mmCIF file of all heavy atoms in Angstrom:
data_model
loop_
_atom_site.group_PDB
_atom_site.id
_atom_site.type_symbol
_atom_site.label_atom_id
_atom_site.label_comp_id
_atom_site.label_asym_id
_atom_site.label_seq_id
_atom_site.Cartn_x
_atom_site.Cartn_y
_atom_site.Cartn_z
ATOM 1 N N LEU G 1 -21.844 -3.040 16.877
ATOM 2 C CA LEU G 1 -21.113 -2.807 15.630
ATOM 3 C C LEU G 1 -19.659 -3.284 15.674
ATOM 4 O O LEU G 1 -19.022 -3.352 14.624
ATOM 5 C CB LEU G 1 -21.156 -1.321 15.280
ATOM 6 C CG LEU G 1 -22.538 -0.765 14.958
ATOM 7 C CD1 LEU G 1 -22.453 0.720 14.662
ATOM 8 C CD2 LEU G 1 -23.172 -1.509 13.803
ATOM 9 N N PHE G 2 -19.136 -3.620 16.826
ATOM 10 C CA PHE G 2 -17.731 -4.029 16.931
ATOM 11 C C PHE G 2 -17.383 -5.241 16.066
ATOM 12 O O PHE G 2 -16.358 -5.230 15.385
ATOM 13 C CB PHE G 2 -17.346 -4.297 18.388
ATOM 14 C CG PHE G 2 -15.923 -4.742 18.537
ATOM 15 C CD1 PHE G 2 -14.896 -3.819 18.459
ATOM 16 C CD2 PHE G 2 -15.611 -6.077 18.723
ATOM 17 C CE1 PHE G 2 -13.573 -4.220 18.578
ATOM 18 C CE2 PHE G 2 -14.301 -6.490 18.841
ATOM 19 C CZ PHE G 2 -13.279 -5.560 18.770
ATOM 20 N N PRO G 3 -18.187 -6.299 16.049
ATOM 21 C CA PRO G 3 -17.812 -7.460 15.219
ATOM 22 C C PRO G 3 -17.700 -7.128 13.730
ATOM 23 O O PRO G 3 -16.957 -7.788 13.008
ATOM 24 C CB PRO G 3 -18.942 -8.462 15.458
ATOM 25 C CG PRO G 3 -19.534 -8.074 16.759
ATOM 26 C CD PRO G 3 -19.371 -6.591 16.846
ATOM 27 N N TYR G 4 -18.420 -6.140 13.269
ATOM 28 C CA TYR G 4 -18.359 -5.778 11.848
ATOM 29 C C TYR G 4 -17.105 -4.978 11.508
ATOM 30 O O TYR G 4 -16.701 -4.905 10.358
ATOM 31 C CB TYR G 4 -19.601 -4.980 11.452
ATOM 32 C CG TYR G 4 -20.871 -5.768 11.631
ATOM 33 C CD1 TYR G 4 -21.744 -5.476 12.665
ATOM 34 C CD2 TYR G 4 -21.176 -6.829 10.786
ATOM 35 C CE1 TYR G 4 -22.907 -6.199 12.844
ATOM 36 C CE2 TYR G 4 -22.336 -7.568 10.957
ATOM 37 C CZ TYR G 4 -23.195 -7.238 11.985
ATOM 38 O OH TYR G 4 -24.336 -7.965 12.158
ATOM 39 N N SER G 5 -16.492 -4.359 12.503
ATOM 40 C CA SER G 5 -15.303 -3.551 12.239
ATOM 41 C C SER G 5 -14.007 -4.222 12.702
ATOM 42 O O SER G 5 -12.923 -3.770 12.347
ATOM 43 C CB SER G 5 -15.431 -2.191 12.929
ATOM 44 O OG SER G 5 -15.482 -2.362 14.327
ATOM 45 N N ALA G 6 -14.105 -5.271 13.471
ATOM 46 C CA ALA G 6 -12.913 -5.935 13.993
ATOM 47 C C ALA G 6 -12.238 -6.753 12.889
ATOM 48 O O ALA G 6 -12.890 -7.295 12.003
ATOM 49 C CB ALA G 6 -13.283 -6.846 15.155
ATOM 50 N N MET G 7 -10.914 -6.815 12.942
ATOM 51 C CA MET G 7 -10.146 -7.597 11.978
ATOM 52 C C MET G 7 -9.883 -8.986 12.533
ATOM 53 O O MET G 7 -9.765 -9.168 13.746
ATOM 54 C CB MET G 7 -8.819 -6.893 11.671
ATOM 55 C CG MET G 7 -9.006 -5.584 10.970
ATOM 56 S SD MET G 7 -7.528 -4.684 10.432
ATOM 57 C CE MET G 7 -6.155 -5.431 11.110
ATOM 58 N N THR G 8 -9.749 -9.952 11.626
ATOM 59 C CA THR G 8 -9.421 -11.303 12.053
ATOM 60 C C THR G 8 -7.946 -11.359 12.448
ATOM 61 O O THR G 8 -7.162 -10.469 12.131
ATOM 62 C CB THR G 8 -9.685 -12.313 10.925
ATOM 63 O OG1 THR G 8 -8.819 -12.008 9.835
ATOM 64 C CG2 THR G 8 -11.135 -12.266 10.472
ATOM 65 N N ARG G 9 -7.565 -12.435 13.118
ATOM 66 C CA ARG G 9 -6.178 -12.596 13.546
ATOM 67 C C ARG G 9 -5.239 -12.645 12.333
ATOM 68 O O ARG G 9 -4.147 -12.097 12.361
ATOM 69 C CB ARG G 9 -6.034 -13.860 14.385
ATOM 70 C CG ARG G 9 -4.647 -14.049 14.934
ATOM 71 C CD ARG G 9 -4.562 -15.232 15.877
ATOM 72 N NE ARG G 9 -5.453 -15.150 17.013
ATOM 73 C CZ ARG G 9 -5.201 -14.466 18.137
ATOM 74 N NH1 ARG G 9 -4.084 -13.804 18.250
ATOM 75 N NH2 ARG G 9 -6.060 -14.461 19.125
ATOM 76 N N GLU G 10 -5.678 -13.273 11.235
ATOM 77 C CA GLU G 10 -4.852 -13.346 10.031
ATOM 78 C C GLU G 10 -4.638 -11.957 9.424
ATOM 79 O O GLU G 10 -3.546 -11.634 8.946
ATOM 80 C CB GLU G 10 -5.491 -14.277 8.993
ATOM 81 C CG GLU G 10 -5.505 -15.735 9.399
ATOM 82 C CD GLU G 10 -6.663 -16.063 10.342
ATOM 83 O OE1 GLU G 10 -7.676 -15.330 10.345
ATOM 84 O OE2 GLU G 10 -6.528 -17.045 11.101
ATOM 85 N N GLN G 11 -5.680 -11.133 9.428
ATOM 86 C CA GLN G 11 -5.545 -9.776 8.905
ATOM 87 C C GLN G 11 -4.579 -8.958 9.747
ATOM 88 O O GLN G 11 -3.759 -8.203 9.216
ATOM 89 C CB GLN G 11 -6.903 -9.073 8.861
ATOM 90 C CG GLN G 11 -7.833 -9.599 7.802
ATOM 91 C CD GLN G 11 -9.213 -8.990 7.926
ATOM 92 O OE1 GLN G 11 -9.690 -8.710 9.027
ATOM 93 N NE2 GLN G 11 -9.866 -8.776 6.792
ATOM 94 N N VAL G 12 -4.657 -9.097 11.063
ATOM 95 C CA VAL G 12 -3.758 -8.354 11.954
ATOM 96 C C VAL G 12 -2.317 -8.779 11.706
ATOM 97 O O VAL G 12 -1.410 -7.944 11.614
ATOM 98 C CB VAL G 12 -4.157 -8.574 13.433
ATOM 99 C CG1 VAL G 12 -3.103 -8.000 14.357
ATOM 100 C CG2 VAL G 12 -5.504 -7.956 13.718
ATOM 101 N N MET G 13 -2.091 -10.079 11.561
ATOM 102 C CA MET G 13 -0.728 -10.568 11.324
ATOM 103 C C MET G 13 -0.194 -10.096 9.974
ATOM 104 O O MET G 13 0.981 -9.772 9.846
ATOM 105 C CB MET G 13 -0.693 -12.100 11.404
ATOM 106 C CG MET G 13 -1.030 -12.640 12.784
ATOM 107 S SD MET G 13 0.044 -12.020 14.077
ATOM 108 C CE MET G 13 1.530 -12.894 13.693
ATOM 109 N N SER G 14 -1.059 -10.045 8.963
ATOM 110 C CA SER G 14 -0.589 -9.652 7.631
ATOM 111 C C SER G 14 -0.253 -8.167 7.552
ATOM 112 O O SER G 14 0.652 -7.784 6.819
ATOM 113 C CB SER G 14 -1.625 -10.013 6.567
ATOM 114 O OG SER G 14 -2.764 -9.195 6.680
ATOM 115 N N VAL G 15 -0.951 -7.324 8.284
ATOM 116 C CA VAL G 15 -0.655 -5.887 8.211
ATOM 117 C C VAL G 15 0.516 -5.498 9.103
ATOM 118 O O VAL G 15 1.028 -4.392 8.983
ATOM 119 C CB VAL G 15 -1.893 -5.024 8.552
ATOM 120 C CG1 VAL G 15 -2.992 -5.253 7.566
ATOM 121 C CG2 VAL G 15 -2.372 -5.244 9.960
ATOM 122 N N GLN G 16 0.955 -6.393 9.981
ATOM 123 C CA GLN G 16 2.106 -6.080 10.816
ATOM 124 C C GLN G 16 3.424 -6.337 10.104
ATOM 125 O O GLN G 16 4.465 -5.884 10.556
ATOM 126 C CB GLN G 16 2.041 -6.884 12.116
ATOM 127 C CG GLN G 16 0.968 -6.398 13.055
ATOM 128 C CD GLN G 16 0.904 -7.215 14.327
ATOM 129 O OE1 GLN G 16 1.455 -8.299 14.419
ATOM 130 N NE2 GLN G 16 0.202 -6.683 15.320
ATOM 131 N N GLN G 17 3.388 -7.053 8.993
ATOM 132 C CA GLN G 17 4.596 -7.325 8.218
ATOM 133 C C GLN G 17 4.705 -6.308 7.090
ATOM 134 O O GLN G 17 3.857 -6.267 6.214
ATOM 135 C CB GLN G 17 4.538 -8.742 7.620
ATOM 136 C CG GLN G 17 4.476 -9.840 8.651
ATOM 137 C CD GLN G 17 5.735 -9.901 9.484
ATOM 138 O OE1 GLN G 17 6.823 -9.646 9.006
ATOM 139 N NE2 GLN G 17 5.566 -10.229 10.760
ATOM 140 N N PRO G 18 5.735 -5.469 7.075
ATOM 141 C CA PRO G 18 5.860 -4.482 6.008
ATOM 142 C C PRO G 18 6.178 -5.167 4.673
ATOM 143 O O PRO G 18 6.905 -6.160 4.625
ATOM 144 C CB PRO G 18 7.012 -3.590 6.448
ATOM 145 C CG PRO G 18 7.752 -4.383 7.457
ATOM 146 C CD PRO G 18 6.793 -5.347 8.069
ATOM 147 N N LEU G 19 5.601 -4.625 3.607
ATOM 148 C CA LEU G 19 5.863 -5.148 2.272
ATOM 149 C C LEU G 19 7.103 -4.485 1.686
ATOM 150 O O LEU G 19 7.361 -3.311 1.937
ATOM 151 C CB LEU G 19 4.689 -4.834 1.342
ATOM 152 C CG LEU G 19 3.428 -5.644 1.503
ATOM 153 C CD1 LEU G 19 2.350 -5.123 0.575
ATOM 154 C CD2 LEU G 19 3.690 -7.101 1.226
ATOM 155 N N PRO G 20 7.854 -5.224 0.878
ATOM 156 C CA PRO G 20 8.942 -4.568 0.154
ATOM 157 C C PRO G 20 8.361 -3.580 -0.862
ATOM 158 O O PRO G 20 7.237 -3.739 -1.330
ATOM 159 C CB PRO G 20 9.658 -5.708 -0.554
ATOM 160 C CG PRO G 20 9.073 -6.970 -0.047
ATOM 161 C CD PRO G 20 7.828 -6.652 0.669
ATOM 162 N N MET G 21 9.123 -2.584 -1.180
ATOM 163 C CA MET G 21 8.660 -1.528 -2.067
ATOM 164 C C MET G 21 8.244 -2.078 -3.435
ATOM 165 O O MET G 21 7.319 -1.577 -4.058
ATOM 166 C CB MET G 21 9.786 -0.498 -2.212
ATOM 167 C CG MET G 21 9.420 0.753 -2.891
ATOM 168 S SD MET G 21 10.684 2.022 -2.767
ATOM 169 C CE MET G 21 12.199 1.182 -3.026
ATOM 170 N N GLU G 22 8.893 -3.137 -3.877
ATOM 171 C CA GLU G 22 8.624 -3.683 -5.195
ATOM 172 C C GLU G 22 7.297 -4.433 -5.262
ATOM 173 O O GLU G 22 6.765 -4.666 -6.341
ATOM 174 C CB GLU G 22 9.755 -4.624 -5.620
ATOM 175 C CG GLU G 22 11.087 -3.943 -5.812
ATOM 176 C CD GLU G 22 11.831 -3.739 -4.498
ATOM 177 O OE1 GLU G 22 11.482 -4.383 -3.498
ATOM 178 O OE2 GLU G 22 12.753 -2.907 -4.480
ATOM 179 N N ASP G 23 6.736 -4.826 -4.115
ATOM 180 C CA ASP G 23 5.507 -5.614 -4.106
ATOM 181 C C ASP G 23 4.235 -4.771 -4.121
ATOM 182 O O ASP G 23 3.147 -5.328 -4.204
ATOM 183 C CB ASP G 23 5.482 -6.535 -2.884
ATOM 184 C CG ASP G 23 6.501 -7.653 -3.003
ATOM 185 O OD1 ASP G 23 7.066 -7.827 -4.103
ATOM 186 O OD2 ASP G 23 6.727 -8.349 -2.002
ATOM 187 N N PHE G 24 4.345 -3.471 -4.020
ATOM 188 C CA PHE G 24 3.164 -2.621 -4.056
ATOM 189 C C PHE G 24 2.611 -2.559 -5.470
ATOM 190 O O PHE G 24 3.342 -2.646 -6.456
ATOM 191 C CB PHE G 24 3.491 -1.202 -3.591
ATOM 192 C CG PHE G 24 3.559 -1.065 -2.100
ATOM 193 C CD1 PHE G 24 4.768 -1.121 -1.444
ATOM 194 C CD2 PHE G 24 2.410 -0.871 -1.359
ATOM 195 C CE1 PHE G 24 4.842 -0.999 -0.076
ATOM 196 C CE2 PHE G 24 2.470 -0.733 0.007
ATOM 197 C CZ PHE G 24 3.689 -0.800 0.653
ATOM 198 N N ASP G 25 1.304 -2.373 -5.571
ATOM 199 C CA ASP G 25 0.673 -2.187 -6.873
ATOM 200 C C ASP G 25 1.017 -0.810 -7.414
ATOM 201 O O ASP G 25 1.520 0.058 -6.695
ATOM 202 C CB ASP G 25 -0.853 -2.311 -6.747
ATOM 203 C CG ASP G 25 -1.274 -3.715 -6.364
ATOM 204 O OD1 ASP G 25 -0.541 -4.663 -6.709
ATOM 205 O OD2 ASP G 25 -2.342 -3.861 -5.746
ATOM 206 N N LEU G 26 0.702 -0.603 -8.688
ATOM 207 C CA LEU G 26 0.906 0.719 -9.276
ATOM 208 C C LEU G 26 -0.081 1.703 -8.670
ATOM 209 O O LEU G 26 -1.211 1.347 -8.337
ATOM 210 C CB LEU G 26 0.717 0.650 -10.795
ATOM 211 C CG LEU G 26 1.757 -0.169 -11.552
ATOM 212 C CD1 LEU G 26 1.386 -0.209 -13.029
ATOM 213 C CD2 LEU G 26 3.135 0.395 -11.374
ATOM 214 N N ILE G 27 0.341 2.934 -8.536
ATOM 215 C CA ILE G 27 -0.497 3.992 -7.975
ATOM 216 C C ILE G 27 -0.976 4.861 -9.119
ATOM 217 O O ILE G 27 -0.177 5.345 -9.921
ATOM 218 C CB ILE G 27 0.286 4.824 -6.944
ATOM 219 C CG1 ILE G 27 0.713 3.928 -5.789
ATOM 220 C CG2 ILE G 27 -0.546 5.989 -6.442
ATOM 221 C CD1 ILE G 27 1.637 4.592 -4.817
ATOM 222 N N ASP G 28 -2.293 5.059 -9.200
ATOM 223 C CA ASP G 28 -2.874 5.862 -10.267
ATOM 224 C C ASP G 28 -2.849 7.327 -9.860
ATOM 225 O O ASP G 28 -3.447 7.715 -8.863
ATOM 226 C CB ASP G 28 -4.301 5.416 -10.554
ATOM 227 C CG ASP G 28 -4.888 6.102 -11.762
ATOM 228 O OD1 ASP G 28 -4.119 6.721 -12.539
ATOM 229 O OD2 ASP G 28 -6.115 6.013 -11.960
ATOM 230 N N LEU G 29 -2.137 8.152 -10.627
ATOM 231 C CA LEU G 29 -2.023 9.577 -10.328
ATOM 232 C C LEU G 29 -2.908 10.426 -11.239
ATOM 233 O O LEU G 29 -2.712 11.628 -11.349
ATOM 234 C CB LEU G 29 -0.566 10.021 -10.465
ATOM 235 C CG LEU G 29 0.406 9.364 -9.493
ATOM 236 C CD1 LEU G 29 1.817 9.822 -9.773
ATOM 237 C CD2 LEU G 29 0.024 9.646 -8.067
ATOM 238 N N GLY G 30 -3.865 9.806 -11.883
ATOM 239 C CA GLY G 30 -4.794 10.549 -12.711
ATOM 240 C C GLY G 30 -4.383 10.577 -14.168
ATOM 241 O O GLY G 30 -3.392 9.971 -14.584
ATOM 242 N N GLU G 31 -5.167 11.287 -14.964
ATOM 243 C CA GLU G 31 -4.946 11.338 -16.406
ATOM 244 C C GLU G 31 -3.601 11.964 -16.776
ATOM 245 O O GLU G 31 -2.962 11.546 -17.728
ATOM 246 C CB GLU G 31 -6.056 12.131 -17.075
ATOM 247 C CG GLU G 31 -7.422 11.499 -16.982
ATOM 248 C CD GLU G 31 -8.480 12.373 -17.620
ATOM 249 O OE1 GLU G 31 -8.128 13.366 -18.285
ATOM 250 O OE2 GLU G 31 -9.666 12.055 -17.449
ATOM 251 N N ASP G 32 -3.182 12.964 -16.037
ATOM 252 C CA ASP G 32 -1.978 13.702 -16.399
ATOM 253 C C ASP G 32 -0.703 12.876 -16.244
ATOM 254 O O ASP G 32 0.229 13.010 -17.032
ATOM 255 C CB ASP G 32 -1.850 14.977 -15.568
ATOM 256 C CG ASP G 32 -2.969 15.960 -15.867
ATOM 257 O OD1 ASP G 32 -3.513 15.908 -16.986
ATOM 258 O OD2 ASP G 32 -3.285 16.764 -14.981
ATOM 259 N N TYR G 33 -0.636 12.027 -15.235
ATOM 260 C CA TYR G 33 0.595 11.316 -14.937
ATOM 261 C C TYR G 33 0.501 9.806 -15.111
ATOM 262 O O TYR G 33 1.510 9.131 -15.159
ATOM 263 C CB TYR G 33 1.067 11.637 -13.511
ATOM 264 C CG TYR G 33 1.296 13.105 -13.310
ATOM 265 C CD1 TYR G 33 0.376 13.890 -12.632
ATOM 266 C CD2 TYR G 33 2.425 13.718 -13.822
ATOM 267 C CE1 TYR G 33 0.582 15.239 -12.464
ATOM 268 C CE2 TYR G 33 2.634 15.073 -13.654
ATOM 269 C CZ TYR G 33 1.708 15.829 -12.976
ATOM 270 O OH TYR G 33 1.911 17.164 -12.809
ATOM 271 N N GLY G 34 -0.695 9.254 -15.147
ATOM 272 C CA GLY G 34 -0.857 7.818 -15.327
ATOM 273 C C GLY G 34 -0.544 7.041 -14.065
ATOM 274 O O GLY G 34 -0.693 7.531 -12.953
ATOM 275 N N GLN G 35 -0.057 5.808 -14.249
ATOM 276 C CA GLN G 35 0.248 4.946 -13.123
ATOM 277 C C GLN G 35 1.755 4.850 -12.935
ATOM 278 O O GLN G 35 2.507 4.704 -13.891
ATOM 279 C CB GLN G 35 -0.327 3.551 -13.356
ATOM 280 C CG GLN G 35 -1.834 3.528 -13.365
ATOM 281 C CD GLN G 35 -2.368 2.123 -13.499
ATOM 282 O OE1 GLN G 35 -1.670 1.227 -13.936
ATOM 283 N NE2 GLN G 35 -3.613 1.937 -13.122
ATOM 284 N N LEU G 36 2.170 4.942 -11.678
ATOM 285 C CA LEU G 36 3.586 4.855 -11.345
ATOM 286 C C LEU G 36 3.782 3.857 -10.218
ATOM 287 O O LEU G 36 2.899 3.638 -9.396
ATOM 288 C CB LEU G 36 4.132 6.212 -10.897
ATOM 289 C CG LEU G 36 4.215 7.302 -11.952
ATOM 290 C CD1 LEU G 36 4.610 8.617 -11.313
ATOM 291 C CD2 LEU G 36 5.199 6.922 -13.022
ATOM 292 N N SER G 37 4.967 3.299 -10.155
ATOM 293 C CA SER G 37 5.285 2.399 -9.055
ATOM 294 C C SER G 37 5.776 3.217 -7.857
ATOM 295 O O SER G 37 6.197 4.368 -7.991
ATOM 296 C CB SER G 37 6.365 1.402 -9.484
ATOM 297 O OG SER G 37 7.586 2.077 -9.686
ATOM 298 N N VAL G 38 5.729 2.606 -6.683
ATOM 299 C CA VAL G 38 6.222 3.263 -5.473
ATOM 300 C C VAL G 38 7.716 3.524 -5.605
ATOM 301 O O VAL G 38 8.227 4.554 -5.165
ATOM 302 C CB VAL G 38 5.903 2.396 -4.237
ATOM 303 C CG1 VAL G 38 6.536 2.958 -2.993
ATOM 304 C CG2 VAL G 38 4.413 2.272 -4.052
ATOM 305 N N PHE G 39 8.425 2.611 -6.252
ATOM 306 C CA PHE G 39 9.859 2.771 -6.459
ATOM 307 C C PHE G 39 10.149 4.054 -7.247
ATOM 308 O O PHE G 39 11.049 4.826 -6.894
ATOM 309 C CB PHE G 39 10.404 1.547 -7.201
ATOM 310 C CG PHE G 39 11.891 1.525 -7.316
ATOM 311 C CD1 PHE G 39 12.675 1.179 -6.234
ATOM 312 C CD2 PHE G 39 12.507 1.857 -8.503
ATOM 313 C CE1 PHE G 39 14.047 1.161 -6.332
ATOM 314 C CE2 PHE G 39 13.881 1.839 -8.614
ATOM 315 C CZ PHE G 39 14.651 1.489 -7.524
ATOM 316 N N ASP G 40 9.379 4.308 -8.316
ATOM 317 C CA ASP G 40 9.570 5.524 -9.113
ATOM 318 C C ASP G 40 9.233 6.779 -8.315
ATOM 319 O O ASP G 40 9.913 7.799 -8.421
ATOM 320 C CB ASP G 40 8.716 5.480 -10.378
ATOM 321 C CG ASP G 40 9.177 4.420 -11.353
ATOM 322 O OD1 ASP G 40 10.380 4.064 -11.309
ATOM 323 O OD2 ASP G 40 8.353 3.936 -12.139
ATOM 324 N N LEU G 41 8.158 6.714 -7.507
ATOM 325 C CA LEU G 41 7.771 7.882 -6.715
ATOM 326 C C LEU G 41 8.826 8.229 -5.674
ATOM 327 O O LEU G 41 9.158 9.405 -5.469
ATOM 328 C CB LEU G 41 6.425 7.635 -6.033
ATOM 329 C CG LEU G 41 5.213 7.625 -6.955
ATOM 330 C CD1 LEU G 41 3.980 7.201 -6.177
ATOM 331 C CD2 LEU G 41 5.005 8.977 -7.583
ATOM 332 N N ILE G 42 9.378 7.233 -5.007
ATOM 333 C CA ILE G 42 10.401 7.487 -3.998
ATOM 334 C C ILE G 42 11.684 7.997 -4.666
ATOM 335 O O ILE G 42 12.344 8.902 -4.157
ATOM 336 C CB ILE G 42 10.654 6.234 -3.146
ATOM 337 C CG1 ILE G 42 9.436 5.986 -2.282
ATOM 338 C CG2 ILE G 42 11.895 6.379 -2.288
ATOM 339 C CD1 ILE G 42 9.499 4.743 -1.438
ATOM 340 N N GLY G 43 12.014 7.427 -5.816
ATOM 341 C CA GLY G 43 13.183 7.916 -6.554
ATOM 342 C C GLY G 43 13.025 9.365 -6.958
ATOM 343 O O GLY G 43 13.968 10.164 -6.853
ATOM 344 N N TYR G 44 11.820 9.749 -7.393
ATOM 345 C CA TYR G 44 11.576 11.141 -7.755
ATOM 346 C C TYR G 44 11.702 12.036 -6.526
ATOM 347 O O TYR G 44 12.270 13.132 -6.596
ATOM 348 C CB TYR G 44 10.189 11.290 -8.375
ATOM 349 C CG TYR G 44 9.863 12.713 -8.737
ATOM 350 C CD1 TYR G 44 10.351 13.275 -9.904
ATOM 351 C CD2 TYR G 44 9.100 13.507 -7.892
ATOM 352 C CE1 TYR G 44 10.081 14.590 -10.235
ATOM 353 C CE2 TYR G 44 8.821 14.815 -8.206
ATOM 354 C CZ TYR G 44 9.316 15.354 -9.385
ATOM 355 O OH TYR G 44 9.053 16.654 -9.690
ATOM 356 N N TYR G 45 11.170 11.593 -5.390
ATOM 357 C CA TYR G 45 11.240 12.384 -4.166
ATOM 358 C C TYR G 45 12.692 12.578 -3.726
ATOM 359 O O TYR G 45 13.074 13.649 -3.267
ATOM 360 C CB TYR G 45 10.440 11.703 -3.057
ATOM 361 C CG TYR G 45 10.481 12.444 -1.747
ATOM 362 C CD1 TYR G 45 9.678 13.554 -1.542
ATOM 363 C CD2 TYR G 45 11.332 12.053 -0.720
ATOM 364 C CE1 TYR G 45 9.712 14.246 -0.343
ATOM 365 C CE2 TYR G 45 11.378 12.737 0.479
ATOM 366 C CZ TYR G 45 10.562 13.819 0.654
ATOM 367 O OH TYR G 45 10.609 14.515 1.823
ATOM 368 N N ILE G 46 13.512 11.538 -3.875
ATOM 369 C CA ILE G 46 14.920 11.646 -3.484
ATOM 370 C C ILE G 46 15.652 12.607 -4.416
ATOM 371 O O ILE G 46 16.465 13.430 -3.975
ATOM 372 C CB ILE G 46 15.584 10.257 -3.473
ATOM 373 C CG1 ILE G 46 15.022 9.442 -2.308
ATOM 374 C CG2 ILE G 46 17.099 10.366 -3.368
ATOM 375 C CD1 ILE G 46 15.438 7.991 -2.313
#
């Protein structure tokens, strides 16, 4: 089962580079809150 779960070298390289906060997709918080960006969530937490 190892070959089915192993990541390619390109996948490993891509996940080692952190994304800027602005590049994340919207996060769906359900019907009550809708979709928010990571920037808005971190601002609310601060």
Side-chain angles (χ1 to χ4, degrees):
L1 295 179
F2 179 77
Y4 298 107
S5 64
M7 294 184 350
T8 63
R9 184 174 302 278
E10 292 81 23
Q11 289 173 326
V12 171
M13 296 303 288
S14 70
V15 297
Q16 288 179 345
Q17 298 295 325
L19 285 176
M21 190 170 42
E22 295 82 17
D23 290 349
F24 280 97
D25 294 332
L26 294 177
I27 298 172
D28 187 14
L29 297 177
E31 295 178 10
D32 295 334
Y33 301 103
Q35 293 184 340
L36 292 173
S37 68
V38 173
F39 187 77
D40 292 335
L41 289 173
I42 291 177
Y44 178 80
Y45 179 79
I46 290 171

